Structures are given as structure tokens and as C-alpha cells.
Amino acid sequence: QVQLVESGGGLVQPGGSLRLSCVASGSALSINHMGWYRQAPGSKRELVATITSGGFANYADSVKGRFTVSRDNAKNTVSLQMISLKPEDTAVYCCNAYWIGVNYWGKGTLVTVSS
């Protein structure tokens, strides 16, 4: 099993930046697929960014050029650096890990972009 805990959310003005972090833990942990998803008010959950253990990343078109996903395999963390934030980025951001055929989710951290 995998436990995921996110942190770093908060209130930021449009154009500002935030860095989200997710710490993964478990008795046995070697996870290739990890990522960030978000769910805005009244919207379905959507993919933001994914990253493999080798560091290959994919991004939603809406965040390309503004968000950067990274991971530290030794520390079992995955991060999301967000810049040039827009009000439409407001959402609960959840960390995801896919391990032995199961999707694991953190509880989420709220990002609010508002002036």
C-alpha cells in the first residue's frame, strides 16, 4: 500500500507562484507512475502532470510552460512548481501514484488564485 500526503497549497494572487509537494510512503515503494491531478469547483478531476521514475513528464495543455513537475526518488517525493498562476488554476490538487494495478490518492491541497 501507498500513503500520499500533499502540502504547499494556499491563496495566491494571479501571476503568482506556489510549489506543491507530495510525500509517498509504504512498506515497499518503487513507483514508476506518479502525478498531479486537480479538481476545480463544479468540474471533473483532470490530469495536470505526470512523471515517471526516470523523470519523463507529461503536462496538460493548459499548464504547459507554467508548471513543472519533478520527483526525488531517494526522498520519495514529487513536486509541482507553479508559476504565472491564473484564477482558473483554482482547484484542489491531489497527488497520485499507480502501484501494482491500484491508483492511490492523497487527500489534496487547495490552491486558490484570486486577487
Side-chain angles (χ1 to χ4, degrees):
Q1 61 183 21
V2 177
Q3 296 84 44
L4 304 170
V5 180
E6 306 99 331
S7 63
L11 175 64
V12 64
Q13 294 184 356
S17 63
L18 283 174
R19 183 179 178 89
L20 307 182
S21 296
C22 172
V23 179
S25 62
S27 59
L29 197 59
S30 182
I31 305 170
N32 187 37
H33 300 91
M34 298 188 71
W36 290 92
Y37 292 71
R38 68 186 182 186
Q39 187 166 15
S43 301
K44 297 182 180 295
R45 176 183 282 166
E46 65 175 352
L47 182 146
V48 177
T50 60
I51 187 168
T52 69
S53 60
F56 297 100
N58 291 316
Y59 298 92
D61 288 341
S62 59
V63 306
K64 286 182 179 177
R66 300 189 299 118
F67 292 10
T68 302
V69 65
S70 62
R71 62 189 289 172
D72 186 329
N73 294 327
K75 297 180 179 179
N76 294 321
T77 60
V78 59
S79 299
L80 185 69
Q81 179 67 51
M82 307 182 294
I83 65 170
S84 301
L85 284 162
K86 305 174 181 179
E88 51 263 43
D89 294 319
T90 295
V92 174
Y93 286 71
C94 294
C95 182
N96 167 261
Y98 186 71
W99 184 67
I100 312 182
V102 177
N103 269 306
Y104 294 87
W105 301 92
K107 297 295 178 63
T109 185
L110 176 63
V111 173
T112 302
V113 185
S114 179
S115 59

